[in-house]
């Protein structure tokens, strides 16, 4: 089975002299280790219930455009090559040209014993031309044609076929899947269009993903793309589906404890803090042993974590820093020497991938700074709160244990970054993350990110310093449903706030800042307050990891 990307060309490009990132095949900085073997996991194939699938990362280039899309570099379309004997292509693959080639699609094999309901795979009965580049004047290799398979009754198509000929593809080219092994799909990340952003009234190519995603969802991502043509205002209507894992509850392809250890030691991030960061992480145990308090309405505070209550977030309880001013300031700073990461291992895409979620705890989130043009304005207490939970998620394939992408949490959202665009630590396969000054949002690169507009916003500054955490050096697995014997720590099920409701008034804080600003800067600050989401100015402490929507769902 094909485990690494390779590429062959089906034609010679007229623009061979123009080197593009996609012309390079992505390779990790270090050779991948010999993984600890285990039943089902990293075996190369997964049985979805009569349909066996494998992940193909070898491609033949079919057609490319050199304009439009991200960075106006175009996109390239491929079909899988070196498909193993007995397996069939389910659709073509496409990727933007602005990054090295690193992708995959699934191929399927019918392994049903009882064929009374029909085989799991069948040829299409016809093709419909969805779109062609014949009338387009952008730079391209030859003309491209994108075809939608017409499935037989009771079957659904998983992907498109791409050709450089106006003749319909062979019916033997692709297979459709029996409907009981399919689920609804939707458009994911934008891949290409004739502009540099997606257009509601044009032709667009998107990644395909299951419509329902999460730890209990059975939808399986096929790795193919969705082409939508809404030229002339016609609403696009994709006829494609994704796969469905009818063996999902068996968790047969999920990693065992020793394999999780190998994954953590291979990929877990190094987290760098800003040189001016005052509020560093700590372990949860350190937080409680150094005086953190549990309050109940109308009662005296209690220091002991064993007394944390169950129930929902009803406002009856909250955590807070020590009462003593000196101890309070010390706990705010955290203790990076005790910092521990807490891992949540969860199935995604119907158990064909694993998310390893790395949770980091900070006793305190510091104040924000606004950037108003060329001027930086400290915002007083705005942004401060007790108890700050942040996370980074790395997603690995259960077919071959390869890291595919990473989610960096950022305030109330975050962003996915593909493996070729990551920074790696000193020649290893451990990726690098940067924690923003005071706010602790995670970013893949150092620098400044403004939350707002290009000129006015809340500063998120990141940079390297001597303060760094190797998240794989000190960690514990706090939750993995598929592994027996893991005991969740008591604090994980604490559903209330990890910090108090802050008593300052937002209006007063803004007024204090405005008192030292010119009229022009006052106006800019007011505009900033109006455009930023409410959570930037939120006054409540956060809830813990298990209360986040991403705990059982997918990342944003």
């Amino acid at each position: 089975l094909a485990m690494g990307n390779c590429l062959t060309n089906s034609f010679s490009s007229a623009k061979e002299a123009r080197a593009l990132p996609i012309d390079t095949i992505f390779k990790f900085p270090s050779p991948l280790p010999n993984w600890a073997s285990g039943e089902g996991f990293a075996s190369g194939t997964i049985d979805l219930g009569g349909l066996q699938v494998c992940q193909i990362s070898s491609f033949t280039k079919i057609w490319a455009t050199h304009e439009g899309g991200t960075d106006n570099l175009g996109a390239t379309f491929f079909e899988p090559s070196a498909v193993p004997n007995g397996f069939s292509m389910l659709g073509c693959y496409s990727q933007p040209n602005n990054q090295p080639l690193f992708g995959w699609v699934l191929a399927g094999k019918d392994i049903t014993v009882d064929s009374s309901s029909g085989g799991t795979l069948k040829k299409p009965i016809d093709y419909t031309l969805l779109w062609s580049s014949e009338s387009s004047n952008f730079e391209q290799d030859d003309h491209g044609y994108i075809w939608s398979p017409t499935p037989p009754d009771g079957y659904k198509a998983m992907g498109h076929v791409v050709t450089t000929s106006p003749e319909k593809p062979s019916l033997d080219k692709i297979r459709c899947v029996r409907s009981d092994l399919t689920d609804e799909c939707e458009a994911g990340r934008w891949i290409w269009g004739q502009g540099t952003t997606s257009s509601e009234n044009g032709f667009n190519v998107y990644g395909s993903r299951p419509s329902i995603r999460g730890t209990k969802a059975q939808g399986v991502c096929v790795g193919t793309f969705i082409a939508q043509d809404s030229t002339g205002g016609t609403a696009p209507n994709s006829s494609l589906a994704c796969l469905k894992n009818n063996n999902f509850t068996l968790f047969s392809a999920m990693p065992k404890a020793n394999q999780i250890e190998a994954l953590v030691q291979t990929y877990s991030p190094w987290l760098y803090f800003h040189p001016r960061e005052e509020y560093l992480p700590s372990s949860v145990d350190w937080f409680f042993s150094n005086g953190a308090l549990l309050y109940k309405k109308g009662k005296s505070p209690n220091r002991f974590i064993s007394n944390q209550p169950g129930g929902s977030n009803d406002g009856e309880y909250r955590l807070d820093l020590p009462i003593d001013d000196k101890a309070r300031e010390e706990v705010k700073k955290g203790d990076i020497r005790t910092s521990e990461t807490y891992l949540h291992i969860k199935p995604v895409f119907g158990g064909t991938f694993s998310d390893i979620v790395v949770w980091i705890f900070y006793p305190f989130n510091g104040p924000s700074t606004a950037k108003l043009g060329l001027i930086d304005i400290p915002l007083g207490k705005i942004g401060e709160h007790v108890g700050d939970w942040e996370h980074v998620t790395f997603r690995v394939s259960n077919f071959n244990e390869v890291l595919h992408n990473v989610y960096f949490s950022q305030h109330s959202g975050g962003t996915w970054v593909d493996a070729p665009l990551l920074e790696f630590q000193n020649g290893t396969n451990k990726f690098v993350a940067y924690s923003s000054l005071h706010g602790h949002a995670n970013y893949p690169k150092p620098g400044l990110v403004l939350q707002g507009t290009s000129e006015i916003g809340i500063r998120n500054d990141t940079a390297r310093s001597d303060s760094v955490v190797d998240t794989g050096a000190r960690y514990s697995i706090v939750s993995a449903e598929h592994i027996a014997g893991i005991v969740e720590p008591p604090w994980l099920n604490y559903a209330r706030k990890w910090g108090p409701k802050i008593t300052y008034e937002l209006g007063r804080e803004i007024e204090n800042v405005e008192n030292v600003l010119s009229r022009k800067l006052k106006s800019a600050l007011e505009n900033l307050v109006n455009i930023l989401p409410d959570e930037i100015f939120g006054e409540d402490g956060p809830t813990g990891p298990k209360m986040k929507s991403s705990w059982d769902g997918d990342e944003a």
Side-chain angles (χ1 to χ4, degrees):
L1 299 179
M3 296 301 175
N5 283 105
C6 67
L7 174 65
T8 58
N9 284 325
S10 61
F11 57 89
S12 295
S13 169
K15 299 292 181 181
E16 287 179 353
R18 182 182 180 186
L20 292 170
I22 200 167
D23 297 329
T24 302
I25 297 169
F26 171 73
K27 294 182 179 179
F28 285 95
S30 238
L32 296 179
N34 293 320
W35 302 103
S37 60
E39 182 182 353
F41 181 63
S43 64
T45 62
I46 296 176
D47 179 7
L48 305 182
L51 178 65
Q52 188 179 64
V53 291
C54 67
Q55 196 175 73
I56 306 295
S57 300
S58 301
F59 297 104
T60 297
K61 180 179 177 181
I62 303 300
W63 177 71
T65 168
H66 299 282
E67 292 183 50
T70 307
D71 298 331
N72 200 32
L73 291 179
T76 303
F77 295 78
F78 306 87
E79 65 179 41
S81 63
V83 176
N85 186 40
F87 284 81
S88 299
M89 168 177 154
L90 301 178
C92 286
Y93 172 74
S94 180
Q95 182 182 304
N97 289 339
N98 71 323
Q99 66 184 59
L101 178 61
F102 183 69
W104 57 271
V105 291
L106 298 186
K109 180 180 181 180
D110 187 349
I111 57 171
T112 52
V113 176
D114 180 10
S115 59
S116 59
S117 59
T120 57
L121 297 173
K122 280 190 177 180
K123 301 176 186 178
I125 59 175
D126 199 2
Y127 292 98
T128 300
L129 180 61
L130 176 65
W131 179 83
S132 98
S133 67
E134 283 184 350
S135 60
S136 303
N137 58 8
F138 51 77
E139 185 181 330
Q140 57 182 306
D141 292 334
D142 207 343
H143 293 307
Y145 303 82
I146 298 180
W147 305 86
S148 290
T150 303
D153 289 343
Y155 290 76
K156 293 184 179 179
M158 301 290 105
H160 300 294
V161 176
V162 180
T163 69
T164 55
S165 167
E167 301 297 322
K168 289 184 179 182
S170 167
L171 296 179
D172 286 323
K173 172 67 72 175
I174 199 170
R175 293 293 184 271
C176 302
V177 179
R178 200 173 64 207
S179 295
D180 63 300
L181 282 158
T182 69
D183 211 340
E184 290 185 5
C185 75
E186 66 180 22
R189 283 188 285 177
W190 185 63
I191 295 173
W192 181 76
Q194 296 186 45
T196 54
T197 58
S198 61
S199 171
E200 294 182 358
N201 296 313
F203 177 75
N204 294 283
V205 176
Y206 300 91
S208 171
R209 65 184 186 183
S211 298
I212 300 174
R213 300 177 302 283
T215 60
K216 306 298 183 185
Q218 294 175 258
V220 173
C221 186
V222 186
T224 54
F225 65 87
I226 293 176
Q228 295 182 341
D229 189 4
S230 54
T231 304
T234 304
N237 181 22
S238 174
S239 59
L240 300 183
C242 67
L243 290 171
K244 181 180 179 181
N245 188 356
N246 287 334
N247 285 337
F248 172 62
T249 55
L250 300 178
F251 294 122
S252 61
M254 291 294 292
K256 307 299 187 288
N258 63 324
Q259 294 161 331
I260 293 171
E261 165 72 15
L263 291 169
V264 170
Q265 295 310 318
T266 301
Y267 297 126
S268 59
W270 281 58
L271 180 61
Y272 283 91
F273 299 95
H274 195 278
R276 299 198 308 275
E277 183 60 74
E278 305 164 69
Y279 308 108
L280 293 165
S282 76
S283 68
V284 173
D285 287 345
W286 181 90
F287 179 62
F288 283 103
S289 64
N290 280 271
L293 299 172
L294 173 68
Y295 284 81
K296 186 181 188 303
K297 280 186 177 179
K299 302 281 187 179
S300 297
N302 193 307
R303 286 188 57 180
F304 301 102
I305 189 170
S306 59
N307 291 334
Q308 287 190 15
S312 61
N313 184 21
D314 53 11
E316 287 294 308
Y317 295 86
R318 63 174 173 83
L319 296 174
D320 203 351
L321 298 169
I323 296 175
D324 178 77
D325 287 343
K326 182 178 179 181
R328 188 179 184 89
E329 291 306 312
E330 287 300 313
V331 172
K332 276 185 180 182
K333 296 176 184 177
D335 188 346
I336 197 170
R337 297 169 301 173
T338 71
S339 180
E340 180 179 356
T341 52
Y342 306 97
L343 305 187
H344 176 206
I345 318 300
K346 62 180 187 178
V348 290
F349 295 153
T352 57
F353 279 75
S354 292
D355 274 3
I356 299 180
V357 189
V358 182
W359 286 96
I360 305 115
F361 176 70
Y362 301 81
F364 195 74
N365 192 93
S368 300
T369 297
K371 184 177 186 295
L372 307 179
L374 299 176
I375 307 297
D376 291 337
I377 308 295
L379 292 181
K381 294 182 179 180
I382 293 173
E384 290 187 352
H385 63 78
V386 177
D388 187 19
W389 280 102
E390 303 291 347
H391 71 282
V392 174
T393 298
F394 61 98
R395 179 166 289 177
V396 297
S397 167
N398 289 346
F399 292 94
N400 52 26
E401 297 189 77
V402 171
L403 169 68
H404 278 272
N405 43 21
V406 173
Y407 183 81
F408 294 83
S409 71
Q410 297 157 359
H411 306 297
S412 60
T415 185
W416 281 105
V417 177
D418 293 332
L421 301 181
L422 295 170
E423 179 183 341
F424 292 93
Q425 176 71 19
N426 294 339
T428 71
N429 295 332
K430 288 175 170 281
F431 65 93
V432 171
Y434 293 89
S435 176
S436 67
L437 178 63
H438 289 180
H440 307 139
N442 296 304
Y443 294 92
K445 303 291 182 185
L448 169 64
V449 175
L450 276 186
Q451 195 168 2
T453 69
S454 60
E455 294 295 328
I456 300 173
I458 300 295
R459 293 187 66 102
N460 288 273
D461 290 279
T462 58
R464 283 201 182 206
S465 74
D466 292 335
S467 296
V468 59
V469 170
D470 174 2
T471 63
R474 180 184 170 94
Y475 71 90
S476 58
I477 300 175
V478 297
S479 184
E481 184 179 344
H482 66 287
I483 299 178
I486 292 180
V487 179
E488 295 184 346
W491 55 259
L492 188 61
N493 292 296
Y494 172 71
R496 274 81 174 190
K497 297 288 186 181
W498 281 71
K501 185 177 179 64
I502 297 174
T503 56
Y504 70 78
E505 294 180 5
L506 174 61
R508 182 174 298 174
E509 288 297 312
I510 295 294
E511 183 179 342
N512 290 339
V513 174
E514 287 182 334
N515 285 338
V516 298
L517 298 180
S518 66
R519 179 177 299 178
K520 182 177 180 180
L521 289 178
K522 283 182 182 179
S523 176
L525 180 62
E526 290 170 359
N527 290 336
L528 174 62
V529 172
N530 291 333
I531 64 175
L532 288 175
D534 292 340
E535 58 264 21
I536 296 297
F537 306 107
E539 298 175 347
D540 281 345
T543 53
K546 205 170 184 179
M547 307 305 128
K548 311 294 187 186
S549 61
S550 63
W551 185 267
D552 292 320
D554 196 8
E555 303 286 4

